[in-house]
Amino acid sequence: MGEEKDLLSTLILELRRGTLTISVLSQMKEPKYGYALVQSLAEKGVGIDPNTLYPLLRRLESQGLLESNWETDGAKPRKYYQRTAYGTGVYEQLKAYWQNLSAGMERLLREEEA
C-alpha cells in the first residue's frame, strides 16, 4: 500500500509540474510579485508553494518569458514579474496546445466511463 501511495504521489507531482508553467504565465499579463501570485493562483484553485514558485519565476525570466523590476517605494522592496512580448507569444501557443490536449483528455475520460 505504501509503494502504491508513493507511486501515485510521484505521478501527481509529474502531472502538476507540467501545468505550473502555463498557470504562472497565465497570471503574468500585469506585474505581480511572488506572494501576490501565490494568492492569485490559490484563489483560482492552483496552489503553489513559494519554494516552488520562486525558482520557477527565475527560470522563466532566464528563458526570456518574464522580466522583473524591483519596486522600492513601499515599506518593503518587492520584485515584480511580468510577461515579455516573447512570453506572451509562448503563453498563447501553450494555451492553444493545452486547450486541444484537455479537450482530447476529456473525450478519452468520457469514453472510458461509457
Side-chain angles (χ1 to χ4, degrees):
M1 183 78 167
E3 287 179 26
E4 194 173 300
K5 187 176 179 183
D6 288 345
L7 175 60
L8 181 58
S9 294
T10 299
L11 292 172
I12 288 172
L13 182 62
E14 288 176 11
L15 183 60
R16 187 169 159 65
R17 229 181 244 143
T19 62
L20 288 178
T21 298
I22 193 170
S23 299
V24 167
L25 287 173
S26 77
Q27 301 300 296
M28 303 309 291
K29 182 177 181 180
E30 302 296 326
K32 282 196 174 82
Y33 62 97
Y35 184 69
L37 183 55
V38 168
Q39 289 181 312
S40 174
L41 288 168
E43 288 169 4
K44 294 172 177 119
V46 180
I48 185 169
D49 187 273
N51 293 325
T52 300
L53 176 65
Y54 290 106
L56 176 58
L57 289 172
R58 286 190 296 273
R59 180 173 58 83
L60 294 174
E61 184 176 23
S62 73
Q63 293 170 330
L65 302 175
L66 298 178
E67 59 189 2
S68 66
N69 291 301
W70 281 98
E71 183 77 33
T72 56
D73 294 343
K76 183 177 168 184
R78 290 187 172 140
K79 191 173 189 179
Y80 283 79
Y81 293 87
Q82 183 174 4
R83 277 192 324 241
T84 61
Y86 175 62
T88 297
V90 168
Y91 166 66
E92 292 297 332
Q93 291 177 54
L94 286 173
K95 186 168 83 169
Y97 182 81
W98 174 263
Q99 289 167 334
N100 288 331
L101 180 64
S102 62
M105 287 302 300
E106 279 297 317
R107 284 190 296 276
L108 286 171
L109 297 175
R110 274 195 308 268
E111 181 180 282
E112 189 267 336
E113 291 172 356

